[in-house]
Amino acid sequence: MTSPARGLRSVVVAGASLAGLRAVEELRARGVDGSVTVIGDEPHAPYDRPPLSKQFLAGEWPLDRIALAVAADGGLDALDIDWRLGVRASGLDVEGRRVLLGDGDEVAYDGLVIATGASPRELPGTGDLAGVHTLRTLDDCLAVRAGLDAGARRVVVVGAGFIGSEVAATCRTLGCDVTILEALPVPLGRALGDEMGAVMGELHRDNGVDLRLGVGVAAIEGDGRVERVRLADGSVVEADLVVVGIGVTPNTGWLEGSGLALDDGVVCDATTWVAPGVVAAGDVARWPSHRFAELMRVEHWDNAIAMGEHAARRLVAEHTPGAQPEPYDPVPWFWSDQYDRKIQLAGRSSAADEVRVVDGSTDERRFVALYRRGDRLAGVLSMNRPRPLVSFRRLVERGASWDEALAEAAS
Amino acid sequence: MGYRVVVDFDLCESNARCMEAAPEVFEVRDDDFLYVLDETPPDELRPKVDEAVRRCPKAAISVVEE
Ligand SMILES: Cc1cc2nc3c(=O)[nH]c(=O)nc-3n(C[C@H](O)[C@H](O)[C@H](O)COP(=O)(O)OP(=O)(O)OC[C@H]3O[C@@H](n4cnc5c(N)ncnc54)[C@H](O)[C@@H]3O)c2cc1C
Ligand code: SF4
């Protein structure tokens, strides 16, 4: 174990969720034994979000099952965290090293981890109707579940992204009539390319979802409670419940005016460092990836953990004389569960030059597809085929060429 | 005092995050199933096993002290 970084006596973590908690675990594992204050605007102790569109939404898992656990000896209590829950971080004084809180209080720090995540975009002009939801928090999920429990049968999902797709799949499995409305001609076209995006769309149709593509929402209507969605082409879909999943925006509002660089997230350097004493991690953070030659921000569970841990080590390094900070340059990894299909994505799939199915077939909905950028393997997508994804992910990690990847596929 | 690695195979989805963290202990094979190579790994591997626990998206791995 490295010796505790002197000068890192007080750490503040803004955001009481996955990236923030994993950062604290890593700090403690590195011997940082000063005070750790975690500020979270939700009233809840950290919980896991992926089940909110899957098992917890389906009512299969009880609440205690989604609490975020701590693997090391002693569990969460042993981390000795000073919790400030139900309170918003409202401002940051970088020079004076203090975080301002919504209740008027402030907390000083030697080290700050920014981990405030992201919030769903809303459809303009739909805020007031009961039965129209976004899905990000436990409270959001409980509200959707309450609607389902109250007998909602006709569910409309706006947006065929991953979260919308999972909500559609879960509601379908619960026996609801589900319609997905997607403004783009191909679901996930920008993320996965048209060919693979189309496969994701077909998966919904296989399972009896009414998937409508290339059509915008004109209005969500009802008398106090949602009754129908009016589409831009004039057609109408009756609805008891609407879930809007049209993407998220990073929670950087509280950092406006702090002087930190904000550009679709908090901009870090290649080591997750933001400013003296300040690092960032998770959905809120954007950093330059050498590997993929782009400024990246990913909204993935696995990244929140890896980056939270990395950011913690970065803080320790800043306070350890002579320490060389390491770059954060992972191969991102993501999964999604829809119906009986397990989808995984490793590396980069957007802006690919070519996509090639190298194992199984899209018709069977069991396959592996590779994404090429230039002469390199940039990403790999799999559906119900976990093992090859591991091998190809390692090739991406190694910076393997496209030809090498095809040779591996043929072997 | 040692510890035992227990995987709930009803939850496991063979996505091999554990294998990335602790390849000495976890292996997903060509049949797409996860195998635990060593249920009672040596203490030196404990940090890697803890990392595997953290990185399992299904919370399928637990460590039992014994
Ligand atoms: C329904 C759902 C399903 C998902 N499924 C998957 C999946 O299958 N696979 C996958 O890879 N990823 C999935 N994700 C994404 C994954 O959950 C996120 O990437 C992860 O939660 C990011 O963690 P984070 O700690 O960076 O941010 P968050 O989890 O967003 O946490 C940030 C916290 O900070 C709080 N906060 C914000 N602003 C402030 C402030 N000013 N002061 C104090 N607190 C603040 C927020 O309320 C929140 O509690 C899913 C997400 C959702 C919502
Ligand atoms: S990380 Fe978890 S789900 Fe994935 S293979 Fe390992 S035990 Fe199974």
Side-chain angles (χ1 to χ4, degrees), chain A residues 112-336:
Chain A
L112 169 67
V113 182
I114 296 175
T116 42
S119 293
R121 279 193 210 111
E122 313 236 346
L123 267 185
T126 54
D128 293 343
L129 278 187
V132 181
H133 305 270
T134 53
L135 181 57
R136 181 77 190 181
T137 66
L138 174 58
D139 294 349
D140 293 340
C141 184
L142 290 172
V144 175
R145 259 175 70 171
L148 293 170
D149 289 346
R153 297 279 313 161
R154 298 165 306 178
V155 175
V156 173
V157 174
V158 181
F162 283 108
I163 290 180
S165 291
E166 290 189 351
V167 170
T170 300
C171 291
R172 194 66 201 117
T173 308
L174 291 173
C176 301
D177 295 332
V178 178
T179 305
I180 301 179
L181 306 174
E182 169 58 54
L184 296 173
V186 178
L188 291 161
R190 267 190 295 231
L192 300 180
D194 283 355
E195 192 187 343
M196 292 301 133
V199 176
M200 298 300 152
E202 285 311 310
L203 182 60
H204 292 300
R205 291 190 170 137
D206 294 347
N207 286 281
V209 167
D210 180 1
L211 173 69
R212 306 205 192 173
L213 298 169
V215 58
V217 170
I220 301 186
E221 300 172 349
D223 185 7
R225 165 165 288 281
V226 61
E227 291 164 24
R228 72 196 79 81
V229 180
R230 192 170 296 281
L231 306 182
D233 63 7
S235 57
V236 162
V237 184
E238 304 291 321
D240 305 318
L241 185 78
V242 174
V243 179
V244 178
I246 53 173
V248 298
T249 42
N251 291 323
T252 53
W254 67 285
L255 298 167
E256 302 279 343
S258 66
L260 299 186
L262 307 177
D263 175 15
D264 183 37
V266 183
V267 181
C268 314
D269 76 1
T271 69
T272 73
W273 187 87
V274 180
V278 184
V279 291
D283 284 15
V284 75
R286 197 140 176 251
W287 79 98
S289 163
H290 175 71
R291 184 192 303 281
F292 297 104
E294 59 177 302
L295 205 50
M296 297 220 290
R297 189 175 67 76
V298 296
E299 297 154 2
H300 302 174
W301 186 91
D302 189 66
N303 180 66
I305 298 173
M307 199 172 187
E309 293 176 354
H310 192 100
R313 290 192 292 273
R314 182 66 184 87
L315 267 192
V316 172
E318 183 176 40
H319 288 82
T320 308
Q324 268 305 319
E326 305 235 341
Y328 179 67
D329 206 2
V331 175
W333 177 83
F334 172 85
W335 89 97
S336 176

Side-chain angles (χ1 to χ4, degrees), chain A residues 317-372:
Chain A
E318 183 176 40
H319 288 82
T320 308
Q324 268 305 319
E326 305 235 341
Y328 179 67
D329 206 2
V331 175
W333 177 83
F334 172 85
W335 89 97
S336 176
D337 300 336
Q338 298 169 30
Y339 313 99
D340 58 351
R341 299 292 115 168
K342 311 289 172 196
I343 298 155
Q344 294 189 58
L345 179 64
R348 299 306 268 170
S349 55
S350 54
D353 300 326
E354 183 183 345
V355 183
R356 194 178 299 190
V357 175
V358 294
D359 187 317
S361 75
T362 52
D363 287 346
E364 290 170 75
R365 314 275 185 255
R366 184 169 183 274
F367 66 90
V368 178
L370 305 181
Y371 288 80
R372 179 172 72 85

